[in-house]
Amino acid sequence: MTNAITVKNLTKKYDDFTAVNNISFDVEEGELFAFLGENGAGKSTTINILCTILDKTAGYVKVFGHELSKDDDKIRNLIGIVFQNSVLDKKLTVGENLMTRGAYYGLDKRQIKERLEPYMDDFEIGEIWNRKYEKLSGGQRRRVDIVRALINDPKILFLDEPTTGLDPKSRKIVWDHIRKLKEEKQLTIFLTTHYMEETADADEVKILEHGNIIASGTPAELKTRYASSKLVWYTGRSDSAEDIIKGYDHSYDADHYNIKFTGSITDFLYRNSKVLTDYEVIKGTMDDVFLNLTGREMGA
């Protein structure tokens, strides 16, 4: 698999403050790659460096074989970015904004319309084409922001906290569009977020804290490593049941046992398959992962 992005020992300092601390990672072409962390963790700083907006203090970065600080123009032609705060003009219509942005890439009106055509229906842009950007809902604005980032036909789409401030329904709609983009265009997507659930479909997740990568893996790998799964065993309380779960962290509640596991539950289920006839397994969550890694809940 080809690396879309290669980062080695990336560091960004502001006087005595280190925003990004000697981090290294690879992003494979076509994957959904996620940076998960709280505000101030270094997520946006890293994205801004990769997008040639900020200068790095130290380290080595390549984007599809082009070296940062040497081939910045070539890198810019390969990327699209959706910023936390929109860069579009609130007083202009959706159409005026998109046509203006397309012109920045040297495209004429015909070329811009050809680039936009695939997104007019999928992102429901046609129905809001003549509406002023300031009159749009939060979800509509985000869809327009994403389309704006796609005008130059990028190979990598950077999404910096793309659903912050949106209501749950709008967040779902935006994510439906992002998933469709990945599937249909095989785009490499680099996401930063502090919403745990937004990493569920990621191919790779890096958890950041204070500019450091403190954990890496797929969501399933991270939950297996750092979160406790729970077995809910529906049975009456008895000495024989207590003997089976002796040594495990457990409690009894009304009509069932809650039994905590770190790692695989399979061996336990196999050993006691004749006794455990009514149960359910509840996997650990990414919230549990973050809590176990940092000692606090996200945002606490």
Side-chain angles (χ1 to χ4, degrees):
M1 185 68 73
T2 302
N3 279 349
I5 302 172
T6 299
V7 175
K8 294 182 179 179
N9 307 118
L10 182 65
T11 299
K12 178 63 178 178
K13 292 185 177 182
Y14 297 95
D15 297 323
D16 294 332
F17 174 70
T18 301
V20 178
N21 187 26
N22 197 39
I23 63 174
S24 300
F25 60 89
D26 296 318
V27 180
E28 292 186 357
E29 183 176 5
E31 78 174 357
L32 171 55
F33 180 95
F35 262 6
L36 174 65
E38 297 176 293
N39 292 336
K43 307 187 304 295
S44 295
T45 300
T46 302
I47 273 194
N48 286 335
I49 292 171
L50 300 183
C51 292
T52 75
I53 296 168
L54 275 179
D55 292 329
K56 56 185 171 60
T57 302
Y60 173 84
V61 176
K62 270 195 171 182
V63 178
F64 279 109
H66 301 296
E67 188 173 344
L68 188 71
S69 301
K70 292 183 179 180
D71 306 315
D72 286 2
D73 287 341
K74 292 178 180 178
I75 290 173
R76 292 185 193 112
N77 288 332
L78 293 171
I79 64 175
I81 180 168
V82 177
F83 299 93
Q84 288 188 44
N85 299 310
S86 179
V87 295
L88 296 180
D89 191 322
K90 293 180 180 180
K91 298 299 181 182
L92 297 181
T93 66
V94 170
E96 290 167 343
N97 266 302
L98 293 177
M99 295 301 287
T100 299
R101 293 291 160 172
Y104 289 170
Y105 293 103
L107 304 173
D108 59 34
K109 289 184 178 180
R110 178 187 59 80
Q111 291 172 318
I112 297 170
K113 288 181 178 179
E114 286 179 353
R115 294 280 180 93
L116 292 175
E117 184 60 33
Y119 310 117
M120 295 299 284
D121 291 332
D122 287 350
F123 280 74
E124 303 170 34
I125 298 300
E127 63 188 50
I128 57 174
W129 183 259
N130 292 312
R131 291 180 61 184
K132 287 189 176 182
Y133 185 83
E134 67 181 355
K135 299 296 184 182
L136 302 180
S137 68
Q140 289 171 330
R141 290 186 185 188
R142 257 313 178 226
R143 296 205 306 268
V144 176
D145 292 339
I146 292 171
V147 171
R148 187 269 309 156
L150 295 168
I151 290 177
N152 65 319
D153 196 23
K155 296 182 70 173
I156 305 174
L157 179 62
F158 288 92
L159 301 171
D160 193 10
E161 303 276 6
T163 62
T164 296
L166 298 186
D167 61 85
K169 182 179 178 181
S170 296
R171 283 171 59 192
K172 181 183 182 303
I173 292 171
V174 168
W175 264 103
D176 287 344
H177 290 306
I178 292 171
R179 291 186 187 97
K180 190 172 183 180
L181 269 177
K182 182 178 183 292
E183 292 169 4
E184 294 185 354
K185 293 182 68 68
Q186 285 76 55
L187 268 178
T188 303
I189 298 178
F190 192 125
L191 165 74
T192 76
T193 184
H194 62 268
Y195 292 121
M196 302 290 185
E197 66 271 23
E198 291 190 342
T199 65
D201 294 331
D203 300 293
E204 179 75 8
V205 179
K206 305 288 186 189
I207 299 178
L208 269 72
E209 184 178 41
H210 305 311
N212 296 285
I213 295 174
I214 60 173
S216 304
T218 66
E221 289 169 345
L222 289 168
K223 285 185 280 189
T224 297
R225 256 183 255 144
Y226 301 109
S228 298
S229 296
K230 182 172 72 172
L231 176 68
V232 180
W233 179 17
Y234 296 97
T235 186
R237 195 167 195 172
S238 67
D239 290 340
S240 59
E242 294 282 349
D243 285 341
I244 290 172
I245 59 178
K246 186 177 182 180
Y248 292 97
D249 185 359
H250 68 275
S251 62
Y252 192 79
D253 184 14
D255 63 348
H256 64 271
Y257 285 99
N258 296 304
I259 313 162
K260 288 185 178 181
F261 289 81
T262 300
S264 175
I265 301 177
T266 305
D267 289 343
F268 177 85
L269 294 175
Y270 182 77
R271 288 196 311 271
N272 301 288
S273 59
K274 292 181 180 180
V275 180
L276 276 74
T277 57
D278 189 8
Y279 66 87
E280 62 179 316
V281 176
I282 302 174
K283 293 283 289 181
T285 66
M286 289 300 290
D287 292 274
D288 297 328
V289 171
F290 190 85
L291 177 61
N292 289 331
L293 280 168
T294 66
R296 66 182 187 280
E297 295 180 358
M298 182 75 82

